Amino acid sequence: MHVLLTRPLEDSIELIKKFKDKGFTVSHLPLIKIDKISHPKLNGSEYNNVVFTSSNAIRNLDIKHLDKKILCFCVGDATEKTAKQKGFHNTFSAGGNVRSLKELILQNLEKKTEKILYISGELVSYDLDKDLIKEGLNVQRLINYSVSHTKELNPDFLNELKKKIPDIIYIYSQNSAESFLNLIKKYKLHDYWMKTNLMCIGEKTSSVLNEIKWKKIFLFNPGEEEFLLYKI
């Protein structure tokens, strides 16, 4: 079984090891690059709650001015794990779904007047802050990273890829899907994937790659990568 993982290396290391331990061939092609955006110094005493929709939002934040005991709402388990590693104690995970994250926040806030710090990347697929504001919550969004697309493939990697096309590819975001589609078009790889299973987070992500012929397309949440292998 040949698996292609496409998240940045720091997000893929554990899964690479797990798959290699199972005897799989694992290739790694990060489809996006995370670039930090400078932000003003935070006054941590202003906020009663913090919301993260990705681990990158945590990694690119100067958190020393935030109280680690405030409620910390995370989109999924991987993000929650990163939050705990950074010292946050009172964490909640929405299981990988942003709309579920909204409901989780609404269910656990005692007062709508409590100030919420929502930290995210420059581009989001769902305007969580706007929806929470419509619910009467006091939300401040802080953008602390941007995403740039991978535009080139290493010639050696490309040659090896053509020799042994992956049985499974995991795509984790619309940005990643767009990067992958652009690379497929640039290197004329349209007809290589008919025996490959495409694993995508959400229908919006998979829809980007619908013009390519895949063996099958599966939807998944982060943390379900190993479980999906039993569906093939």
Side-chain angles (χ1 to χ4, degrees):
M1 183 83 72
H2 182 194
V3 177
L4 176 63
L5 298 176
T6 62
R7 298 178 94 180
L9 184 58
E10 58 193 335
D11 293 314
S12 302
I13 289 175
E14 288 187 17
L15 201 53
I16 289 172
K17 184 179 185 305
K18 285 182 180 179
F19 283 150
K20 284 188 173 180
D21 287 346
K22 291 179 180 291
F24 297 164
T25 299
V26 182
S27 297
H28 180 236
L29 173 63
L31 292 170
I32 57 173
K33 179 186 174 186
I34 305 301
D35 301 302
K36 185 174 182 177
I37 295 176
S38 298
H39 59 82
K41 179 180 175 182
L42 292 172
N43 181 358
S45 61
E46 289 185 28
Y47 307 102
N48 305 97
N49 311 274
V50 63
V51 178
F52 297 112
T53 47
S54 77
S55 295
N56 291 312
I58 304 172
R59 295 189 187 110
N60 289 286
L61 179 68
D62 184 358
I63 63 171
K64 62 177 177 286
H65 301 293
L66 279 179
D67 181 359
K68 306 306 185 301
K69 294 180 182 179
I70 62 175
L71 298 186
C72 175
F73 297 96
C74 302
V75 69
D77 295 343
T79 304
E80 183 183 31
K81 181 178 179 181
T82 303
K84 287 181 176 179
Q85 289 171 345
K86 291 293 185 179
F88 288 97
H89 304 296
N90 299 313
T91 60
F92 298 83
S93 170
N97 187 293
V98 183
R99 287 177 172 78
S100 296
L101 178 60
K102 171 192 167 183
E103 297 305 319
L104 188 65
I105 293 167
L106 293 172
Q107 291 168 11
N108 284 278
L109 286 190
E110 294 183 2
K111 299 178 182 178
K112 287 192 174 182
T113 54
E114 292 182 350
K115 196 167 184 180
I116 300 170
L117 177 63
Y118 167 44
I119 303 167
S120 73
E122 189 173 23
L123 298 175
V124 292
S125 58
Y126 174 69
D127 292 319
L128 176 63
D129 55 328
K130 293 179 181 178
D131 262 17
L132 290 174
I133 289 170
K134 287 179 183 177
E135 296 285 346
L137 273 61
N138 184 3
V139 183
Q140 177 186 338
R141 183 182 173 195
L142 173 68
I143 297 171
N144 71 343
Y145 72 93
S146 63
V147 171
S148 56
H149 295 273
T150 297
K151 296 181 179 180
E152 303 284 341
L153 289 179
N154 177 286
D156 292 336
F157 179 90
L158 179 59
N159 288 334
E160 289 301 316
L161 185 70
K162 288 180 176 179
K163 289 178 186 176
K164 187 172 175 58
I165 292 296
D167 302 290
I168 303 171
I169 298 175
Y170 291 91
I171 305 289
Y172 287 81
S173 69
Q174 285 178 256
N175 278 320
S176 294
E178 288 165 6
S179 284
F180 196 46
L181 182 61
N182 289 337
L183 290 170
I184 287 173
K185 290 179 176 179
K186 179 175 182 174
Y187 293 98
K188 297 180 172 57
L189 300 172
H190 298 75
D191 300 325
Y192 282 77
W193 312 104
M194 287 184 284
K195 295 183 179 180
T196 299
N197 293 287
L198 177 67
M199 311 296 192
C200 287
I201 290 186
E203 291 182 5
K204 287 185 178 180
T205 300
S206 67
S207 66
V208 175
L209 293 163
N210 277 346
E211 65 183 84
I212 307 301
K213 293 181 180 180
W214 306 95
K215 183 178 181 180
K216 286 185 180 179
I217 298 176
F218 297 88
L219 303 182
F220 75 102
N221 292 317
E224 296 178 348
E225 290 91 339
E226 292 178 86
F227 171 75
L228 284 177
L229 297 177
Y230 300 102
K231 289 188 174 183
I232 297 173

